[in-house]
Amino acid sequence: MRPTMKDVALAAGVALKTVSRVVNGEPGVHPATAERVREAIDRLGYSRNESARVLRAGRTSTVGLVIEDLADPFYSALGRAVEDVVIGQGCLLLSASSSEDPVRERELVRTFCARRVDGLIMVPAGHDHSYLCQELEAGTPAVFADRPPGPGLDVDTVLCDNAGGAALATRHLLAHGHRRIAFLGDDPSIFTAARRLHGYRSAMGHLYDERLVAMRTPAPGSVRADLERMLALDRPPTALFTGNGRLTVTALRALAGRPMALAGFDDFELADLLTPGVTVVAQDPAGMGRIAAELLFRRLSGENDPPRHVTLPVRLIPRGSGELPP
């Protein structure tokens, strides 16, 4: 038979309330008594009934995280930072990938809410988040990270300076003498891709040439085809700016053996070991995840301030890949 709290109290020679305080981490128990209770818990193999605790407290001590792809290094770092904060609060994190599918995103959120998560952190795939209004009104807070919510929804949001970072990388290439700078970006319907295109275009000014721009979901074949088209122009690009880490890696493979200066948004593993090293705009996914989780727990603690909109800075890491090819 599964041991009860009464069994622990009897084994430790203390009152039932004392065991309850130790189990729930409440103050007011002498350290020696608390240690005696913990020893009894270990000896008997007692574990508290979480279902009953949830019914009493009205909380599940779980947080739902919906991101684009758990396997992506950027989102992996973001998710790990969220997890660290959640675990530090004595809670459990439930994570899932939307695969950039708005329907899947909505289904995942509804599944998490059906399981009564205390709050949500989301990297949205879609632009319509009206389905969240009912959950928000019911008291389930949500924080958006990396991308903002769709129109009509104002909640805590943590972004990076996408446009500023793209402009920074483009100006770096311009400062090295390049005037024909190509841009490979993700699907333009994605907030981050659109903002990075904006930053690139602003920095290029009158030098902007739409023939040097390709915006679509990254795939080896499409990246290679876009680069082949650009390189076949009468005035081909001498430099390339890629809009995210996956595009940078894909472009490197497609450009193998071809001289072209390269800068990319997002750092990636081994970028500093390439020759030449790849210049990158580095953002802070771990910082983004940590701040998003901290904002969520402020809401869970009862904070009722207006929604916060945080924009994190980025930084350029130059690695010698900006020079004009010989």
Side-chain angles (χ1 to χ4, degrees):
M1 181 180 294
R2 180 176 177 173
T4 67
M5 200 175 288
K6 287 182 179 180
D7 295 328
V8 174
L10 183 63
V14 298
L16 184 62
K17 182 62 178 176
T18 301
V19 177
S20 176
R21 285 176 175 165
V22 173
V23 169
N24 292 295
E26 297 174 5
V29 180
H30 190 279
T33 303
E35 180 61 27
R36 194 163 73 248
V37 170
R38 284 190 287 267
E39 288 176 354
I41 287 172
D42 292 340
R43 187 167 67 253
L44 296 175
Y46 167 80
S47 62
R48 64 183 180 181
N49 188 326
E50 288 295 328
S51 297
R53 185 187 64 80
V54 167
L55 288 173
R56 289 193 302 270
R59 293 272 291 272
T60 62
S61 294
T62 57
V63 169
L65 172 66
V66 179
I67 55 181
E68 179 197 341
D69 183 359
L70 288 167
D72 183 281
F74 176 86
Y75 292 117
S76 175
L78 186 154
R80 176 56 190 268
V82 170
E83 183 181 55
D84 287 344
V85 174
V86 170
I87 290 176
Q89 292 287 336
C91 298
L92 179 69
L93 182 68
L94 307 178
S95 303
S97 302
S98 69
S99 299
E100 209 65 78
D101 181 350
V103 174
R104 179 165 169 165
E105 170 205 298
R106 185 165 57 250
E107 291 174 349
L108 287 170
V109 169
R110 286 175 171 165
T111 298
F112 282 157
C113 290
R115 292 177 178 272
R116 299 180 61 195
V117 294
D118 296 332
L120 294 163
I121 297 174
M122 297 175 57
V123 175
H127 301 285
D128 179 7
H129 298 100
S130 57
Y131 68 88
L132 266 176
C133 292
Q134 185 176 355
E135 300 299 337
L136 294 170
E137 290 170 0
T140 303
V143 178
F144 280 61
D146 192 43
R147 309 169 188 173
L153 198 66
D154 189 17
V155 296
D156 293 324
T157 307
V158 187
L159 311 174
C160 89
D161 186 5
N162 292 284
L168 195 64
T170 305
R171 287 196 295 266
H172 169 79
L173 294 170
L174 288 168
H176 280 79
H178 298 280
R179 295 299 177 263
R180 301 287 288 169
I181 302 172
F183 176 62
L184 291 180
D186 209 326
D187 184 333
S189 67
I190 298 173
F191 171 81
T192 51
R195 294 302 299 160
R196 291 168 193 178
L197 172 62
H198 176 76
Y200 158 81
R201 184 167 188 167
S202 297
M204 289 296 291
H206 71 279
L207 296 173
Y208 176 80
D209 183 347
E210 63 181 13
R211 296 176 300 171
L212 295 180
V213 175
M215 301 282 290
R216 51 176 161 171
T217 302
S222 63
V223 169
R224 187 176 299 277
D226 289 330
L227 288 172
E228 292 288 352
R229 175 184 59 79
M230 294 174 184
L231 291 169
L233 294 172
D234 54 345
R235 294 179 59 217
T238 61
L240 172 65
F241 172 46
T242 49
N244 60 45
R246 283 177 292 184
L247 274 165
T248 305
V249 173
T250 305
L252 281 167
R253 291 193 173 105
L255 288 170
R258 300 187 185 186
M260 180 176 288
L262 177 63
F265 208 109
D266 288 334
D267 205 357
F268 60 97
E269 192 172 3
L270 304 183
D272 56 328
L273 298 181
L274 297 173
T275 304
V278 177
T279 293
V280 297
V281 176
Q283 52 177 325
D284 182 10
M288 182 178 289
R290 175 181 54 78
I291 292 171
E294 289 172 349
L295 288 174
L296 182 68
F297 279 101
R298 286 182 183 177
R299 297 297 175 190
L300 290 171
S301 69
E303 182 180 281
N304 198 30
D305 293 343
R308 304 185 185 207
H309 304 114
V310 180
T311 300
L312 301 178
V314 297
R315 61 192 178 97
L316 185 76
I317 304 178
R319 294 192 176 114
S321 58
E323 291 77 7
L324 280 163

